[in-house]
Amino acid sequence: MSDNPSLRTPSQRIAWAATIIVSTLVFIFLIAPILAIMPLSFSSGSYLTYPLPGLSLRWYDDFINSPRWMNSLKNSMIIGVASTLLSMVFGTLAALGLAQWKSRLKPLVLAFVLSPVVVPGVITAVGLYFFFAPIGLTGSYLGLILAHTALATPFVVITVGATLQSFDTNLARAAASLGASPLYAFRRVILPLILPGLASGALFAFATSFDEVVIVLFMAGPEQRTLPREMFSGIRENISPTITAAAVILTTVSVILLATMEGLRRRNERLKGGNA
Amino acid sequence: MTDALLTGADASTEVPLKRRLRRAERTRQVKALALVLPLLVFLLFTFAGPIAGMLWRAVDDREVRQVLPQTVAALADWDGKDLPDEKAFAALAGDILAARTSGTIAIAAKRLNYALNGFRTILTSTARNLKAVPEPGTARETLGKINPAWRDRATWATIKDASGPVTGFYLLGALDLVRNVDGAVVAAPADQAIYRNVFTRTFIISLSVTVLCLILGFPVAYLLATLPPGRSNLLMIFVLLPFWTSLLVRTCAWIVLLQSKGVVNDSLHWLGIIDEPLRLIYNRFGVCVAMTHVLLPFMILPLYSSMKAISPAYMRAAASLGAPPVTAFLRIYLPQTLPGIGAGSLLVFILALGYYITPALVGGAADQMISYFIALYTTETANWGLASALGAVLLLATVLLALVYGKLVQGQQVTGGMKN
């Protein structure tokens, strides 16, 4: 606690101690539920209570051998990867364009592009349900991929846009002055430099699709149910330990995504430090 | 044409540099716009179009017009003061017979039943008992005999009000308002007036969650912003891990923790604090706890970045000028965090307003927010007009708040720039 230089009076020390105590409690509040659910998935009993009667992998076995759960995992992957790829294309192009575009309309266009994040999921879902049903896109993979792409692209625009903001445009100019065509300069100069931004955009996009459930609730047929969708109906009916196994699998995916994100951020900071 | 070609060829010598620069800049701008265009077109198809369609459905009213076209035409100049004339009765009898043949009567019956409870029965019983086209001049008598409701002005007023092609019926309904027999807007009968209640509830839950997030998030953001970077990065994991964890996992976790035989109740029982398990879930308490957990990172992150921008020199300056810590905090530190508090609170409030999944899973019947009713009317009862109208009200609230948020965040960036 001595690392805070502004602490001189006793009252300041008390305030600082209180901050630490309250923060610790909030950290416990944030983390404990996620940690508490994990051991239950390894329980040998079928009740979701502590103490565990014994350890077993039967609920993971249950998950892996259930066509319903495996199908939902497959669907989540298909829809997640496809909408990530699509949103990367649309989002990166748009971020590149917005970085160069100067117009009074720009804030308006930016607000429109980002609006899928703010508009409540139910509203987007109801709109899409009415709009996609007559053209046969409800109950189809394509419909879900398009919808998830619309939700995920704003994150790509934000992350790639942020990377472009710190990008030194002189480098592109230098490439051009050395005779590189715009496309060549993009591929050899710009792309490698903004790659970390693209990667975090992709992670965000995938996470958005992988966690989305409201639109899936409205639009997916029995064939397209994703992992969160199966969890939703599972929680509604009766929480079995298989759901906790699914939760652990989902959390593992989140941890991998978060770790990759953190790695990218650190790498970026190191590079920045190296340049300075 | 030749002139243009000539000037084009001589551009390097004839056209002033300024103009050529401007032209090059214009080409650049067009190219930039061309890069944004695919996304705009895509969002038009997958986002803006569908939402515009939903808004249209909130005022679209063509069912009755399609099923009972002659009646709608005959009622066009009806002043609504007395029963309509014989012509309207004859038109209705004709329409009902035609609709019975084509099997469309249920469509109109469903729409009219929204406006007047029991209209479905009136229409279907009339359709069943009307044997043939009434003799000229006897339509009024015939229909009145089949169902006395046709002698009631309100029945006809309902048809006229539903004549379309656009209506304010659903939007009024979303605000618990109806048009009475005379066309005046009045409060809906108490047993049908539920939406103002639902909106109030949505507002109260969102506000409670926002306040809880602010109270819990402020010290955490302060700690993270004050600690040296190495340590705060480590602690940031506690905020980011829940942020990245699936909403379903977190909601599921709270059910496991809070259920009557859950971890919390078991621990309290074991500690001897309670004898009977507390009811912690499927009520307002559960909704607020789970939503606060889900939305807390959205409060901490903007608060953290606004606090990170506050130079510790200000506090030191205040202290050196003799300000007691509490005064320095209230007068120097807190005002500088206000943009962060505003941004975080608005963000959490906006997100909370539209919440569906968490209240649906951990709330009771009295804790369902507006999104639940929109979903219910869309998929269960297929009252798409009302679903769309409720959606329009929610969308309006969200957009207004988002505009305020945009102004706030923009202002914050400006002041941030000035400080640097």
Side-chain angles (χ1 to χ4, degrees):
Chain A
M1 274 176 219
S2 55
D3 52 2
N4 194 334
S6 60
L7 296 180
R8 261 160 292 168
T9 64
S11 66
Q12 270 171 317
R13 276 198 208 106
I14 291 170
W16 181 247
T19 307
I20 289 177
I21 292 167
V22 173
S23 300
T24 311
L25 291 176
V26 175
F27 287 140
I28 293 172
F29 169 73
L30 280 168
I31 286 291
I34 303 169
L35 294 184
I37 196 174
M38 299 211 161
L40 292 171
S41 69
F42 296 100
S43 168
S44 61
S46 40
Y47 294 105
L48 296 165
T49 47
Y50 288 100
L52 300 179
L55 295 176
S56 91
L57 287 173
R58 60 185 276 210
W59 304 112
Y60 288 89
D61 201 49
D62 213 38
F63 182 92
I64 289 166
N65 290 316
S66 146
R68 209 175 62 128
W69 283 108
M70 286 317 274
N71 190 44
S72 71
L73 184 62
K74 191 191 79 187
N75 283 337
S76 278
M77 294 308 284
I78 293 174
I79 295 166
V81 170
S83 50
T84 301
L85 290 176
L86 255 184
S87 61
M88 285 311 287
V89 174
F90 286 122
T92 310
L93 286 180
L96 284 169
L98 283 168
Q100 295 166 29
W101 194 41
K102 297 185 195 82
S103 162
R104 267 179 307 171
L105 287 178
K106 192 168 152 177
L108 211 67
V109 171
L110 200 63
F112 173 65
V113 167
L114 302 185
S115 55
V117 180
V118 183
V119 170
V122 164
I123 290 181
T124 316
V126 169
L128 282 167
Y129 178 78
F130 294 148
F131 197 71
F132 277 6
I135 48 177
L137 281 175
T138 44
S140 76
Y141 284 98
L142 181 63
L144 277 177
I145 291 168
L146 292 179
H148 279 190
T149 304
L151 288 189
T153 311
F155 293 108
V156 178
V157 175
I158 295 172
T159 30
V160 177
T163 319
L164 286 174
Q165 236 168 26
S166 62
F167 175 77
D168 187 356
T169 42
N170 284 327
L171 292 174
R173 259 185 231 134
S177 79
L178 292 168
S181 73
L183 211 63
Y184 188 80
F186 178 75
R187 200 158 53 84
R188 296 297 300 270
V189 179
I190 304 178
L191 194 60
L193 284 167
I194 64 169
L195 210 56
L198 292 185
S200 34
L203 288 177
F204 257 115
F206 185 79
T208 307
S209 167
F210 204 70
D211 193 23
E212 204 285 325
V213 58
V214 182
I215 286 178
V216 179
L217 267 174
F218 280 76
M219 299 231 313
E223 288 301 304
Q224 292 90 31
R225 288 174 148 222
T226 59
L227 199 48
R229 174 68 182 84
E230 283 300 346
M231 280 195 71
F232 182 82
S233 43
I235 295 173
R236 273 227 155 146
E237 287 151 21
N238 173 33
I239 305 188
S240 84
T242 315
I243 293 177
T244 59
V248 170
I249 292 169
L250 268 173
T251 310
T252 311
V253 174
S254 324
V255 170
I256 293 171
L257 290 175
L258 175 62
T260 320
M261 203 73 168
E262 190 62 17
L264 281 169
R265 199 185 58 79
R266 295 238 165 119
R267 177 181 172 273
N268 207 18
E269 251 170 29
R270 212 170 46 236
L271 285 182
K272 261 188 205 159
N275 284 342
Chain B
M1 187 85 173
T2 26
D3 278 357
L5 273 176
L6 276 175
T7 41
D10 289 342
S12 50
T13 50
E14 300 274 318
V15 183
L17 185 62
K18 230 183 193 171
R19 205 192 296 168
R20 268 192 291 148
L21 261 177
R22 216 180 302 147
R23 198 177 296 164
E25 182 55 30
R26 211 179 303 141
T27 327
R28 232 169 74 91
Q29 292 300 305
V30 171
K31 274 187 194 158
L33 192 59
L35 288 172
V36 187
L37 217 53
L39 177 58
L40 294 184
V41 173
F42 177 77
L43 285 181
L44 222 53
F45 177 70
T46 55
F47 180 71
I51 286 180
M54 184 205 77
L55 293 177
W56 168 245
R57 263 172 215 274
V59 295
D60 183 33
D61 199 11
R62 280 173 302 186
E63 292 110 322
V64 171
R65 174 174 276 263
Q66 270 158 11
V67 179
L68 308 172
Q70 298 174 56
T71 317
V72 167
L75 287 179
D77 348 299
W78 177 49
D79 61 2
K81 290 210 178 69
D82 294 299
L83 274 180
D85 54 12
E86 174 67 23
K87 200 175 75 188
F89 278 90
L92 180 69
D95 278 339
I96 288 179
L97 286 170
R100 194 173 63 189
T101 324
S102 60
T104 51
I105 201 93
I107 300 171
K110 185 181 170 194
R111 163 66 181 90
L112 290 165
N113 205 56
Y114 290 150
L116 189 68
N117 230 332
F119 212 123
R120 196 191 306 272
T121 328
I122 299 174
L123 210 55
T124 46
S125 79
T126 311
R128 204 170 40 243
N129 293 318
L130 189 64
K131 300 299 174 216
V133 183
E135 294 292 314
T138 62
R140 182 196 286 246
E141 205 183 315
T142 316
L143 288 175
K145 218 177 278 172
I146 291 173
N147 196 321
W150 297 116
R151 292 192 203 116
D152 188 353
R153 195 161 62 99
T155 317
W156 291 93
T158 308
I159 297 183
K160 186 170 165 78
D161 191 45
S163 299
V166 292
T167 182
F169 173 71
Y170 298 113
L171 285 170
L172 289 174
L175 301 169
D176 290 340
L177 298 168
V178 286
R179 277 187 193 284
N180 66 9
V181 174
D182 302 311
V185 175
V186 294
D191 59 323
Q192 288 162 34
I194 59 168
Y195 304 114
R196 263 187 241 178
N197 206 340
V198 173
F199 279 115
T200 314
R201 178 193 306 165
T202 307
F203 188 83
I204 289 173
I205 293 179
S206 304
L207 197 67
S208 327
V209 169
T210 308
V211 170
L212 278 171
C213 282
L214 184 59
I215 294 172
L216 298 181
F218 195 92
V220 172
Y222 177 76
L223 183 78
L224 291 174
T226 316
L227 281 179
R231 246 188 260 185
S232 76
N233 271 346
L234 202 68
L235 288 177
M236 199 53 127
I237 300 286
F238 287 96
V239 181
L240 290 178
L241 182 67
F243 183 71
W244 279 80
T245 305
S246 167
L247 173 70
L248 265 303
V249 172
R250 291 192 272 168
T251 308
C252 180
W254 280 110
I255 297 177
V256 169
L257 285 181
L258 297 179
Q259 62 187 329
S260 57
K261 286 189 172 173
V263 177
V264 173
N265 266 320
D266 275 358
S267 315
L268 291 176
H269 186 76
W270 183 75
L271 290 169
I273 298 172
I274 54 166
D275 296 324
E276 287 291 300
L278 296 173
R279 195 167 164 75
L280 301 171
I281 198 116
Y282 308 120
N283 57 17
R284 192 63 60 90
F285 176 81
V287 172
C288 286
V289 169
M291 280 182 69
T292 303
H293 184 252
V294 172
L295 292 170
L296 191 50
F298 291 97
M299 178 68 86
I300 294 177
L301 295 174
L303 272 179
Y304 167 77
S305 59
S306 82
M307 287 174 177
K308 199 78 191 156
I310 301 173
S311 162
Y314 290 113
M315 288 298 273
R316 263 181 249 137
S320 78
L321 292 168
V326 176
T327 315
F329 177 80
L330 290 177
R331 302 275 307 265
I332 307 295
Y333 196 82
L334 198 62
Q336 295 188 79
T337 63
L338 280 180
I341 291 177
S345 304
L346 265 173
L347 187 63
V348 169
F349 189 75
I350 291 172
L351 292 172
L353 273 187
Y355 249 67
Y356 172 59
I357 298 295
T358 308
L361 289 176
V362 301
D367 311 306
Q368 296 308 321
M369 296 164 74
I370 190 66
S371 292
Y372 171 85
F373 290 87
I374 297 174
L376 181 77
Y377 293 134
T378 306
T379 53
E380 305 283 325
T381 63
N383 186 349
W384 290 354
L386 188 56
S388 302
L390 292 171
V393 177
L394 174 60
L395 185 65
L396 181 74
T398 309
V399 168
L400 288 179
L401 288 168
L403 286 176
V404 179
Y405 175 78
K407 281 259 178 288
L408 207 68
V409 172
Q410 210 175 32
Q412 203 177 351
Q413 274 165 353
V414 169
T415 49
M418 282 192 328
K419 261 180 221 149
N420 288 337

